[in-house]
Amino acid sequence: MTAQQSSTAPVGPRPDGEDQFPAGAQVFVRDEVWLVRNSVRTEHDGAKVDVVGVSDFVRDQEAVFFTGLDTIELIDPRRTRLVRDESSNFRRSRLFLEAVLRKTALPQSERRLALADSFLLDSLPYQRRPAELALSGRNLRPRLLIADVVGLGKTLEIGLTLAELIRRGRGERILVVTPQHVLEQFQHELWTRFAIPLVRLDSIGIERIQREIPAGRNPFTYFKRVIVSIDTLKNTDQYKHHLERINWDAVVIDESHNLINRGSLRNQLAQILAPRTDALILASATPHNGDAKSFAELIGLLDPAAIRDPEHYRAEDIEHLFIRRTKISPEVREQMKGQWADRGPSQSVRCAATPAEEKIFEELAAVWLPGENGTSVSAVPLFPYTLLKSFLSSPAALKATVAARIKTLEKKDEPTATRAELAALRTLQELVAPMTETDSAKFTALVEQLKAIGIGPKSDTRVVIFSERVQTLEWLRTVLPVALGFRGRAAEESTRVMHGGLSDEQQMQCVEDFGLADAPVRILLTGDVASEGVNLHRQCHQLIHYDVPWSLIRIEQRNGRIDRYGQAHQPQFRALILTSEVEGAKDDTVVAERLLDREDQAHRALGTAEAVTGLYRAEAEEKSLIQDLLRGRTVDESLDAHRAEAEADAAMDDFLADFFGSVGDAEPSMGDGDPQDAQGSGSDALAPGGAAAGNAAVPRLFTSTAEFLDEALREVFPDATTSLDLHRDTESGLLSFRPPTDLVHRLKALPLDYVREQRLRERLLVTFNRRLAEHSLKRARESSTSSWPEISLLTDLHPVVEWLTDKVLVRLGRQEALIITADVPEPTYLVQGVYSNALGRPTVVKWMGVTRGGTVEDDMVGLLHRSGVGPTMANPMRHGEPVTALEAGIPDALAAAERFLDQHRDAWDEPLRKPIDDYKARLGDWEQPTLAGERTKKSLASLADSLLTTGRPLMRVLAVLVPDPEAPSYPPSTA
């Protein structure tokens, strides 16, 4: 059982003897009263229970107890003590009931989304689909690959999925693994959009934590929700023993195509994490390398039994495990109208070679890249193309390549064999040595293009310039700002350089600076390290390829940095094309210009260029293209030939044709089924494709979280103006207050930079006004001081809401329930009943009203509303029956409620059993020749069995409704 999986269980001992401690319940340990926040089973010490102090001596203190070491007293619901609610409008009772409803995780039977409309993002149904698929029950666990193409918003889709898992008590411990340069970007999105805090453990962060925690302690247990770079974590020798000793509720691995190569450090990391998490979310716009077997290994991380034959399978075999859409997919295209500008054409800017460059073209054509009947001076077939690509990038890049090759050859034991090549290299070295920016046609054209689009000292326009060569990037940094008119400090501040040789902190800082509107940076010079996952579109819609990668995939990835969801302007792409008059010269018109055209055609026709060659990897595309050029093929002949070869491979065609046909793209039927039916009927509420119809049935006594928080503040802090220094702006909805000590303690889970930069320990600014929160986020992007907004949106997941909910719960004593005078004919007990599976996760949750006569109604919230329980009700302060008489009726009410649950259990269980039975049937047909495979099969079968409802329901008495003794219909007391 993972953390918080028992959070919906009501108070009371389990009949089968299992330990279960529900979040929101109060327990008695070491002579003190504690509020349970979550619990998890351990291998040796029983249940591990995280609590916060309630009684005076330990109030607000956090602690962890183990049932194997401490006696944790579970409360018997039959011994519940009733107390009269003397608060105005029965506010105390209403708040308590709402807090219990909020703390109770949604059951396994609720497939629909509960929180999707409450976050700081546009309401786009296509972005809800991954979360719907993860919760659909079509897979045993919430495991999926989000394979949407570049720019559709995979981070937002991940955030929605994690939020829904948290609401179900299945997201307490979260690990997010990303490339190092997108750590802060990912962390920023999940907090500002969803109020999901992730502590960033980059290389510096882990070192800091290890200095602060006791020696030998696992750094990944120090925070419950963390984000770490794959480059840091892949050091399995250093972190393997820590990772093997911890289980997660959810693991997210971004850019997961990097996990495929078996035996690599990234693959080893994935093999460690996959079996140690309940939910696993993989994300990649290019999730495979074109090899069906390799992709089967990636899918095997999600479900080892999904594919029987890793070399022969179809998309329909695994469609429950992944989803893929493109920008031209019907549902995406329709929903994005007016919200994402169509990209402009890729413009080729032809640059006629200068005399100095023509001399190098002549040397390359004559000596290194001769025609069909010629022989290259180099014994390494591919090296001449390395030289060519360096030259087509910049004189600086060519200088570096030539110097490195000379150094290599001079170290060889047989200098005679390399004498001719060395001589040719030195000739190139002599030709390129005197060249400056004035000898570069591309540089001259770049300056002209930048001035034309408005880049300069008096303009806010920004541009991202890509080059494959670090030497080109560094050279441009030295000469470009001055050529554009920047002087002094402005020249230095105007330009940032980003490449793989920088640390993770430096890379993240480059991205942040470029995304802040009032930061002085105007030009981002970057290598292809920024072509995966990085958002560069916030303040920029201009992109220039200084040199063009010889891969359609890489071109598309680059373009996707500014052509993505949230782009307000039409993305503009330019590529500098160096041309030559030298006969036989392989200038940029031979390769680069043709690739640009083919990528543009594929993007507009297919939504992606990845399937054009059938190679599906940038490195493979480039290598294959160069080999074809050596054989005398043109670019178009090469691209078409490889696609034809892929289509001729029947096994590949079966799978990859379906895959690139946008699996999961059929728009779901959203239906209008009864929410209550959906809770009990599970998969019956699913629309085609496994997407659940409508929103989840989430019981609420208050009309909104804002109303609940407002009442909770008045109840818990009646003098909030003084004690919290609380200020309200009724017009804007802004709340400003000084966080008390116990809330400050909770803020340690928030991003450290955010807490420090916004001084959250001194004052919090929060709001339910989405427009205000969005404005604050936009303003932060325009600030050069911090990208973190000063005002955060209050969602159900926000630490402030969780803190106040806990505050409400602890105001009721141990084993107490409240008496509410309401419009009822006879005493009616409000009872929570929960069925759970062997993992402690709720399968069915029922909120019931039980009359003294034994009648059971399973709509507690509806009963409360009909009985007049609400903010306008009056508390008459009149008492009818004695408390002892009401308490005497509790055992009978619990017995009636349990009989009701038992009568309906099979009907509620059926939709849950069917997908489990189907999975076990598939598992039975999965033949495993190895011992390890048989162990995996048994483990999966055991997991399937553990998801079924087991034992008797757990019961909890929440309150009792009693009639007003002065009401005309009030019956005489029988006490």
Side-chain angles (χ1 to χ4, degrees):
M1 180 175 66
T2 55
Q4 235 187 20
Q5 286 168 350
S6 63
S7 61
T8 63
V11 178
R14 286 182 63 95
D16 56 10
E18 287 188 34
D19 293 315
Q20 187 160 359
F21 303 91
Q26 294 183 24
V27 294
F28 195 66
V29 191
R30 299 184 185 180
D31 296 324
E32 299 293 341
V33 180
W34 307 82
L35 179 74
V36 176
R37 297 174 72 172
N38 60 77
S39 66
V40 59
R41 287 179 185 163
T42 66
E43 187 175 351
H44 303 294
D45 298 318
K48 171 180 172 286
V49 186
D50 293 312
V51 297
V52 61
V54 173
S55 52
D56 291 338
F57 186 69
V58 294
R59 187 175 303 278
D60 297 327
Q61 292 186 24
E62 294 182 337
V64 177
F65 297 113
F66 295 85
T67 56
L69 304 176
D70 288 283
T71 299
I72 305 178
E73 182 181 342
L74 291 168
I75 299 174
D76 186 340
R78 293 169 298 184
R79 297 166 55 193
T80 301
R81 295 194 303 272
L82 299 177
V83 295
R84 298 190 184 278
D85 184 355
E86 306 292 345
S87 66
S88 177
N89 306 112
F90 291 103
R91 183 171 64 197
R92 187 183 183 196
S93 294
R94 291 185 294 107
L95 285 169
F96 172 75
L97 290 171
E98 177 74 8
V100 173
L101 289 168
R102 288 174 172 275
K103 276 292 184 181
T104 300
L106 296 181
Q108 185 175 316
S109 54
E110 179 54 84
R111 308 294 195 193
R112 298 169 300 178
L113 305 191
L115 303 175
D117 297 328
S118 62
F119 299 119
L120 198 62
L121 66 163
D122 299 325
S123 180
L124 296 173
Y126 88 82
Q127 291 184 343
R128 298 167 53 131
R129 296 274 307 286
E132 291 171 341
L133 180 59
L135 300 173
S136 68
R138 298 177 63 193
N139 189 27
L140 283 186
R141 295 172 287 181
R143 293 182 158 222
L144 77 157
L145 166 63
I146 303 177
D148 288 344
V149 300
V150 174
L152 264 64
K154 288 188 286 295
T155 303
L156 300 181
E157 293 169 352
I158 290 169
L160 279 173
T161 305
L162 291 177
E164 292 294 334
L165 292 174
I166 292 170
R167 185 60 184 86
R168 287 157 173 77
R170 302 177 73 169
E172 183 69 8
R173 295 196 56 80
I174 296 173
L175 172 67
V176 176
V177 184
T178 75
Q180 61 186 16
H181 53 276
V182 297
L183 276 177
E184 184 166 354
Q185 174 182 295
F186 205 109
Q187 179 193 37
H188 189 276
E189 287 287 278
L190 260 64
W191 169 254
T192 58
R193 299 292 186 183
F194 304 97
I196 300 176
L198 299 173
V199 175
R200 192 172 78 232
L201 296 184
D202 50 32
S203 53
I204 296 175
I206 291 182
E207 290 178 6
R208 176 178 54 81
I209 289 174
Q210 288 180 324
R211 290 195 300 267
E212 295 176 358
I213 65 178
R217 182 171 174 181
N218 192 333
F220 301 109
T221 63
Y222 195 68
F223 295 106
K224 293 182 179 180
R225 296 171 183 165
V226 302
I227 182 168
V228 62
S229 81
I230 194 168
D231 304 280
T232 297
L233 207 58
K234 72 181 183 182
N235 187 347
T236 51
D237 290 339
Q238 183 175 354
Y239 299 116
K240 181 178 180 181
H241 65 289
H242 289 311
L243 296 173
E244 289 179 337
R245 287 166 174 77
I246 189 169
N247 289 319
W248 304 91
D249 289 328
V251 169
V252 176
I253 305 180
D254 195 18
E255 305 298 343
S256 56
H257 54 271
N258 293 316
L259 308 177
I260 288 179
N261 297 326
R262 181 170 289 276
S264 69
L265 293 177
R266 290 181 174 88
N267 182 266
Q268 292 175 33
L269 170 63
Q271 297 296 337
I272 292 173
L273 292 175
R276 290 172 175 81
T277 181
D278 177 39
L280 178 60
I281 304 172
L282 306 179
S284 174
T286 54
H288 60 83
N289 58 6
D291 178 71
K293 187 174 182 180
S294 294
F295 187 72
E297 292 178 4
L298 190 65
I299 293 297
L301 295 172
L302 302 171
D303 181 0
I307 297 174
R308 296 181 187 179
D309 183 349
E311 294 183 351
H312 300 90
Y313 58 98
R314 297 182 62 87
E316 63 193 40
D317 298 331
I318 54 173
E319 62 183 358
H320 59 293
L321 290 168
F322 77 100
I323 188 168
R324 176 180 177 83
R325 282 79 52 86
T326 72
K327 189 178 178 181
I328 68 169
S329 297
E331 67 169 342
V332 177
R333 185 177 61 249
E334 290 301 313
Q335 293 166 27
M336 291 304 301
K337 281 183 177 178
Q339 300 186 60
W340 185 356
D342 288 335
R343 60 184 266 183
S346 293
Q347 300 178 36
S348 294
V349 180
R350 291 197 171 190
C351 320
T354 65
E357 288 172 326
E358 288 287 43
K359 289 181 180 180
I360 294 178
F361 270 123
E362 290 173 356
E363 181 70 12
L364 291 174
V367 178
W368 296 91
L369 292 163
E372 295 181 8
N373 299 321
T375 303
S376 173
V377 71
S378 177
V380 180
L382 298 183
F383 178 69
Y385 280 94
T386 301
L387 275 179
L388 174 64
K389 292 192 68 184
S390 295
F391 171 57
L392 293 175
S393 180
S394 72
L398 180 60
K399 289 176 185 178
T401 300
V402 169
R405 181 63 175 166
I406 289 174
K407 187 175 181 180
T408 298
L409 293 180
E410 287 178 340
K411 291 180 179 179
K412 287 184 174 291
D413 294 333
E414 301 177 8
T416 303
T418 61
R419 190 173 299 162
E421 185 173 353
L422 276 169
L425 286 167
R426 291 192 174 102
T427 298
L428 280 177
Q429 197 172 45
E430 292 172 2
L431 290 172
V432 75
M435 291 180 67
T436 67
E437 63 269 23
T438 60
D439 297 304
S440 172
K442 276 191 176 183
F443 181 80
T444 301
L446 175 65
V447 173
E448 291 174 354
Q449 290 294 314
L450 293 179
K451 289 181 177 179
I453 63 177
I455 303 295
K458 297 181 180 180
S459 171
D460 293 332
T461 305
R462 301 191 181 194
V463 65
V464 55
I465 302 172
F466 273 97
S467 172
E468 291 187 309
R469 308 288 169 158
V470 173
Q471 297 83 6
T472 301
L473 297 172
E474 295 291 355
W475 169 66
L476 287 174
R477 174 166 60 176
T478 63
V479 297
L480 185 57
V482 175
L484 291 170
F486 293 97
R487 296 291 182 268
R489 185 173 180 81
E492 180 181 348
E493 294 179 340
S494 68
T495 308
R496 292 285 185 277
V497 174
M498 180 176 168
H499 52 73
L502 303 181
S503 69
D504 48 4
E505 288 285 340
Q506 291 172 318
Q507 291 183 33
M508 287 186 291
Q509 191 62 52
C510 286
V511 175
E512 181 176 7
D513 289 346
F514 193 67
L516 296 175
D518 67 351
V521 60
R522 293 294 176 266
I523 304 165
L524 178 63
L525 300 166
T526 182
D528 287 320
V529 66
S531 67
E532 291 187 352
V534 179
N535 292 334
L536 301 178
H537 66 295
R538 301 296 183 191
Q539 313 297 336
C540 175
H541 65 281
Q542 302 282 357
L543 185 149
I544 295 178
H545 301 277
Y546 194 79
D547 52 45
V548 178
W550 287 11
S551 160
L552 298 176
I553 291 173
R554 190 69 77 200
I555 295 171
E556 182 174 69
Q557 287 174 334
R558 284 183 177 186
N559 291 346
R561 297 313 99 211
I562 64 168
D563 182 21
R564 55 197 307 107
Y565 170 65
Q567 175 59 268
H569 305 281
Q570 184 183 62
Q572 300 289 331
F573 307 107
R574 293 171 174 82
L576 303 180
I577 303 299
L578 185 61
T579 65
S580 173
E581 296 294 330
V582 173
E583 185 178 353
K586 290 181 171 58
D587 62 13
D588 276 324
T589 63
V590 175
V591 177
E593 197 167 52
R594 288 306 304 141
L595 290 175
L596 285 170
D597 185 53
R598 291 295 293 266
E599 186 275 339
D600 190 65
Q601 292 175 22
H603 180 85
R604 298 181 190 283
L606 305 174
T608 177
E610 294 161 358
V612 171
T613 63
L615 295 174
Y616 310 104
R617 273 291 177 270
E619 297 81 4
E621 282 189 336
E622 179 174 341
K623 183 178 180 180
S624 175
L625 177 58
I626 292 175
Q627 290 173 337
D628 282 347
L629 292 173
L630 287 170
R631 298 187 187 106
R633 282 179 173 175
T634 66
V635 169
D636 290 303
E637 288 171 345
S638 175
L639 297 180
D640 295 339
H642 285 288
R643 183 57 190 163
E645 290 170 7
E647 292 174 349
D649 186 331
M652 291 294 294
D653 181 57
D654 282 347
F655 168 59
L656 295 178
D658 285 345
F659 186 89
F660 281 96
S662 297
V663 169
D665 188 49
E667 190 165 0
S669 165
M670 293 309 290
D672 55 0
D674 186 339
Q676 187 63 30
D677 290 344
Q679 187 189 39
S681 64
S683 59
D684 287 350
L686 298 183
N695 294 325
V698 181
R700 283 282 186 266
L701 188 56
F702 284 69
T703 58
S704 67
T705 302
E707 182 188 4
F708 169 70
L709 182 137
D710 190 55
E711 291 257 25
L713 278 172
R714 290 190 175 92
E715 173 70 15
V716 179
F717 297 100
D719 60 342
T721 303
T722 302
S723 61
L724 299 180
D725 190 21
L726 176 68
H727 297 278
R728 298 172 184 264
D729 186 327
T730 55
E731 185 175 339
S732 69
L734 177 66
L735 290 177
S736 169
F737 67 97
R738 182 181 63 250
T741 304
D742 57 329
L743 179 54
V744 169
H745 185 68
R746 295 186 183 219
L747 299 182
K748 70 179 184 180
L750 271 60
L752 182 61
D753 292 345
Y754 170 57
V755 174
R756 182 181 62 252
E757 292 172 9
Q758 297 301 332
R759 304 173 70 177
L760 299 187
R761 297 182 182 93
E762 301 171 26
R763 180 158 291 274
L764 288 175
L765 301 177
V766 295
T767 186
F768 287 102
N769 185 331
R770 293 171 62 132
R771 294 183 67 180
L772 179 60
E774 184 70 52
H775 176 72
S776 179
L777 179 58
K778 181 180 179 181
R779 188 170 56 194
R781 295 196 183 110
E782 297 172 351
S783 167
S784 59
T785 57
S786 175
S787 63
W788 295 102
E790 60 177 354
I791 302 171
S792 62
L793 181 69
L794 287 168
T795 72
D796 286 355
L797 305 183
H798 198 286
V800 169
V801 176
E802 292 183 337
W803 164 70
L804 267 177
T805 304
D806 287 347
K807 284 287 192 183
V808 167
L809 289 171
V810 301
R811 294 178 69 80
L812 198 63
R814 179 164 61 104
Q815 256 180 304
E816 289 182 347
L818 292 163
I819 301 172
I820 308 170
T821 303
D823 185 13
V824 291
E826 59 180 316
T828 302
Y829 298 86
L830 305 184
V831 179
Q832 180 194 41
V834 176
Y835 280 111
S836 299
N837 58 31
L839 298 176
R841 302 189 192 118
T843 54
V844 178
V845 177
K846 290 296 176 181
W847 308 89
M848 297 167 284
V850 186
T851 67
R852 178 169 282 169
T855 302
V856 178
E857 178 180 347
D858 66 345
D859 181 10
M860 182 185 79
V861 173
L863 171 63
L864 287 167
H865 288 315
R866 292 195 307 274
S867 303
V869 177
T872 61
M873 71 185 300
N875 189 339
M877 300 295 183
R878 294 187 291 266
H879 311 306
E881 289 190 45
V883 171
T884 53
L886 294 171
E887 289 177 344
I890 289 177
D892 288 341
L894 288 169
E898 186 166 354
R899 286 194 300 271
F900 173 81
L901 294 176
D902 187 59
Q903 290 170 3
H904 296 278
R905 170 175 170 168
D906 287 344
W908 293 329
D909 253 4
E910 177 57 29
L912 300 176
R913 285 197 304 268
K914 187 177 186 308
I916 294 173
D917 290 343
D918 290 345
Y919 184 86
K920 291 178 67 177
R922 294 200 311 270
L923 198 60
D925 296 335
W926 185 45
E927 297 181 1
Q928 280 301 306
T930 65
L931 180 60
E934 284 299 324
R935 287 174 179 167
T936 299
K937 185 175 180 178
K938 290 180 180 179
S939 175
L940 292 171
S942 176
L943 172 65
D945 289 334
S946 69
L947 299 179
L948 294 167
T949 299
T950 182
R952 292 168 55 193
L954 291 164
M955 316 296 293
R956 182 180 185 181
V957 177
L958 304 175
V960 59
L961 305 179
V962 298
D964 186 341
E966 295 188 8
S969 60
Y970 182 76
S973 174
T974 58

